Amino acid sequence: MHLDHLSYAAGPEGLGACVQRIGAKLGAGFTDGGLHPSFGTRNFVLPLADGCYLEIVAALDHPAADRAPFGRAVSARTQTGGGWLAWAVGIADITTYEARLNRPAAKGHRRRPDGFDLLWRQIGINDVTEDPQLPFFVQWDSDAQHHPAAGGSAIRLTRLEIAGDERIVDAYLGTSARQPLDRVEVDWVSPFDPESGDEVTGVVAAVFATPSGDVRID
């Protein structure tokens, strides 16, 4: 179990503008990841150090975006201004979590611009929609050489700020959240939103070490 990637939903500015904005902050160029036909989304990806990556994702004007839980989650985050959507945990055997969550994993694939079809299975998006502090789970079916983090980069995720309760995440994972996040410092902050008075959970910000210094993206 390890941190596989972070998902950031583009806001009303659009996917291209969001990619340019975050890429400029990090001093790095994202790669066009292509389309998720069954989810009605598309993304741009940036490999990071330690085998994880950052994706910026947007929903397409396509029926799949309304049908698929991931497409709906991306659309909903965009409609609230965009920002951090979720963190994903890579696992070797997704059947364990199918049994724990009592439902089947969804098959995912992403058609890259070079024509390669990247394959995986994922589970937990519905839970993330209900409580964004939770991760979802990914098992890759394509070879490791095609993983979006393959090759790595000089940019490293060093810290996450998550609004929520570590104990709730531990119970959901079935182990300590510190296990998949062993190389990342995590600040668990209060989920109370003083502006709305509501409890709002989820990733608040991520800090990256870059060749030009630390960069915080919220």
Side-chain angles (χ1 to χ4, degrees):
M1 183 182 289
H2 64 278
L3 179 64
D4 187 78
H5 67 276
L6 297 177
S7 292
Y8 189 100
E13 76 225 76
L15 181 59
C18 186
V19 168
Q20 290 295 323
R21 173 172 60 84
I22 293 179
K25 285 185 176 182
L26 294 173
F30 283 74
T31 299
D32 185 354
L35 305 175
H36 308 111
S38 56
F39 298 160
T41 56
R42 65 171 299 188
N43 72 359
F44 279 72
V45 298
L46 176 66
L48 304 172
D50 300 326
C52 65
Y53 69 97
L54 169 62
E55 74 165 350
I56 301 177
V57 62
L60 304 171
D61 184 13
H62 190 278
D66 297 323
R67 277 196 316 268
F70 187 74
R72 293 197 301 268
V74 173
S75 294
R77 191 70 183 93
T78 295
Q79 290 166 12
T80 59
W84 292 111
L85 177 68
W87 54 293
V89 172
I91 53 178
D93 183 7
I94 205 164
T95 61
T96 301
Y97 288 90
E98 290 178 316
R100 287 190 67 217
L101 300 177
N102 195 31
R103 59 181 181 271
K107 291 183 178 181
H109 71 112
R110 173 158 57 82
R111 193 169 300 127
R112 298 189 320 209
D114 64 3
F116 184 81
D117 208 16
L118 192 64
L119 305 177
W120 70 91
R121 283 167 284 168
Q122 66 185 49
I123 192 169
I125 289 296
N126 286 325
D127 300 320
V128 172
T129 300
E130 291 294 321
D131 188 358
Q133 70 181 306
L134 302 176
F136 66 98
F137 304 96
V138 178
Q139 178 182 330
W140 291 92
D141 293 325
S142 293
D143 292 341
Q145 65 179 339
H146 295 293
H147 186 274
S153 77
I155 299 173
R156 182 185 304 273
L157 174 68
T158 59
R159 190 169 84 247
L160 283 176
E161 297 172 25
I162 303 177
D165 186 331
E166 184 176 1
R167 294 168 298 178
I168 292 174
V169 178
D170 289 351
Y172 184 73
L173 285 170
T175 187
S176 170
R178 300 181 187 187
Q179 196 271 319
L181 297 172
D182 63 343
R183 298 181 183 179
V184 181
E185 179 183 349
V186 181
D187 294 333
W188 296 93
V189 300
S190 171
F192 179 73
D193 184 347
E195 293 186 7
S196 67
D198 297 329
E199 186 177 90
V200 180
T201 66
V203 176
V204 175
V207 178
F208 301 87
T210 79
S212 300
D214 288 350
V215 175
R216 181 179 184 272
I217 295 177
D218 54 17

